[in-house]
């Protein structure tokens, strides 16, 4: 699922370089801004992992939020990269200690977003990509409202969804049946998102996701370096 830890990202927008002294020679693209939390949700099999991987590969300024889970690793998954894998007791201890921004039970396992790395990264201008379900999205939005951008992907049809799950080849027939039986209830949460995209053609869908991310980065409230920049312009 995920390929990179946010902690590995280059600090292209580090505050020391961009926040305090906005020189006239700087372009608005290099000004400091607060990072954002970019949530991609979809019924399982719609394509969010495919889109997420491409975004991480093509955009250095966004990194994956690595969740903690009690689900056992799938073949090829790496601890600390795809997830932080733990057991029930370890997960419960983190809940007790208030270390999650949100957490939920999905398919019989617990999943949660660790708080510390996200809060520090946002201040530094890092964007985080979240592959979380609708419950997590709701909690995240309640806690971090203005930082959260919510994108929901829909399949073009139920038949296409089933075909994609089978073609992916990662799940048994039983697991696929379980994901299909949950699909309609997951789809019903589409109206809890800011943006909704039908993932029919993968390239077109990816471009739409990029367009949303680019536009949200220009949101005035996030561009914290603008105040000094504009003051300098007006001097
Ligand atoms: P999710 O993360 O939502 O469960 P994946 O990204 O794993 O879904 O995609 C499920 C399968 O569907 C993968 O095999 C992927 O290559 C394929 N897929 C994704 N988007 C499309 C698309 N637009 N058209 C056809 N196949 C797709
Ligand atoms: P998987 O086990 O297939 O990797 O993920 C199963 C589901 O758990 C997916 O719908 C995914 O979006 C969701 N998920 C993964 N991490 C988190 C998390 O930290 N919080 C929440 N709420 N859901 C998560």
């Amino acid at each position: 699922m995920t390929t990179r830890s946010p902690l590995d990202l280059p600090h292209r927008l580090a505050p020391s370089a961009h926040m305090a002294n906005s020189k006239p020679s700087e372009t608005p693209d290099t000004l400091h801004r607060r990072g954002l939390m970019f949530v991609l949700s979809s019924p399982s099999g719609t394509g969010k992992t495919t889109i997420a991987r491409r975004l991480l590969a093509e955009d250095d300024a966004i990194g994956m939020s690595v969740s903690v889970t009690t689900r056992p690793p799938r073949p090829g998954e790496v601890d600390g990269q795809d997830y932080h894998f733990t057991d029930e007791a370890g997960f419960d201890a983190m809940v007790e200690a208030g270390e999650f921004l949100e957490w939920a039970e999905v398919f019989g396992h617990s999943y949660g977003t660790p708080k510390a790395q996200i809060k520090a990264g946002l201040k530094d201008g890092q964007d985080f990509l979240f592959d979380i379900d609708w419950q997590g999205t709701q909690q995240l939005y309640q806690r971090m409202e203005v930082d959260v951008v919510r994108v929901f992907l829909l399949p073009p049809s139920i038949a296409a969804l089933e075909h994609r799950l089978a073609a992916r080849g990662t799940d048994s027939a039983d697991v696929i049946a379980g994901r299909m039986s949950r699909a309609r209830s997951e789809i019903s949460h589409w109206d809890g998102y800011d943006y909704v995209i039908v993932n029919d053609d993968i390239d077109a869908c990816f471009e739409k996701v990029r367009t949303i991310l680019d536009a949200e980065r220009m949101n005035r409230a996030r561009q914290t370096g603008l105040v000094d920049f504009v003051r300098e312009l007006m001097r």
Side-chain angles (χ1 to χ4, degrees):
M1 191 181 71
T2 66
T3 53
R4 198 165 44 184
S5 155
L7 302 174
D8 297 339
L9 288 175
H11 285 242
R12 289 198 342 184
L13 301 167
S16 58
H18 303 295
M19 194 158 66
N21 307 309
S22 304
K23 299 184 192 73
S25 58
E26 276 186 321
T27 72
D29 281 349
T30 63
L31 294 176
H32 186 265
R33 66 173 174 83
R34 184 169 168 79
L36 55 81
M37 304 166 85
F38 199 71
V39 178
L40 273 183
S41 299
S42 72
S44 179
T46 303
K48 68 180 177 304
T49 308
T50 308
I51 297 285
R53 284 192 176 139
R54 196 155 152 189
L55 206 52
L56 291 168
E58 292 189 16
D59 190 325
D60 285 344
I62 195 163
M64 197 75 199
S65 163
V66 181
S67 297
V68 178
T69 185
T70 59
R71 163 170 83 59
R74 295 189 184 123
E77 283 185 333
V78 177
D79 188 28
Q81 255 181 45
D82 297 286
Y83 281 102
H84 301 286
F85 295 100
T86 186
D87 55 15
E88 296 289 345
F91 195 93
D92 292 348
M94 289 185 74
V95 172
E96 282 294 306
E99 289 179 33
F100 289 124
L101 272 178
E102 63 77 32
W103 66 274
E105 271 202 33
V106 189
F107 300 128
H109 297 291
S110 303
Y111 295 81
T113 302
K115 185 160 41 182
Q117 66 188 19
I118 304 291
K119 288 210 159 176
L122 289 178
K123 264 193 196 163
D124 280 359
Q126 278 186 14
D127 298 325
F128 291 92
L129 182 59
F130 289 79
D131 172 352
I132 59 176
D133 75 335
W134 65 271
Q135 309 168 78
T137 306
Q138 268 185 1
Q139 289 183 54
L140 213 55
Y141 189 69
Q142 280 160 10
R143 303 272 308 258
M144 307 287 288
E145 197 166 327
V146 295
D147 293 318
V148 180
V149 177
R150 299 164 296 178
V151 180
F152 196 74
L153 305 182
L154 285 171
S157 67
I158 293 295
L161 185 65
E162 190 157 17
H163 178 76
R164 285 179 194 178
L165 280 171
R168 187 169 66 183
T170 55
D171 298 312
S172 66
D174 277 1
V175 172
I176 290 178
R179 292 187 191 275
M180 286 307 295
S181 75
R182 279 181 58 114
R184 283 181 179 80
S185 83
E186 286 172 344
I187 288 170
S188 73
H189 298 288
W190 69 284
D191 58 353
Y193 287 75
D194 304 304
Y195 302 93
V196 179
I197 307 172
V198 177
N199 177 18
D200 192 352
D201 176 80
I202 188 75
D203 293 330
C205 179
F206 180 70
E207 282 315 313
K208 287 172 188 165
V209 169
R210 280 221 61 132
T211 301
I212 294 165
L213 179 58
D214 286 345
E216 289 286 349
R217 283 173 171 163
M218 285 184 280
N219 181 298
R220 176 167 54 83
R222 294 203 171 94
Q223 298 200 63
T224 45
L226 270 182
V227 175
D228 286 344
F229 181 79
V230 171
R231 189 177 295 140
E232 190 63 32
L233 281 181
M234 292 169 68
R235 253 221 289 232

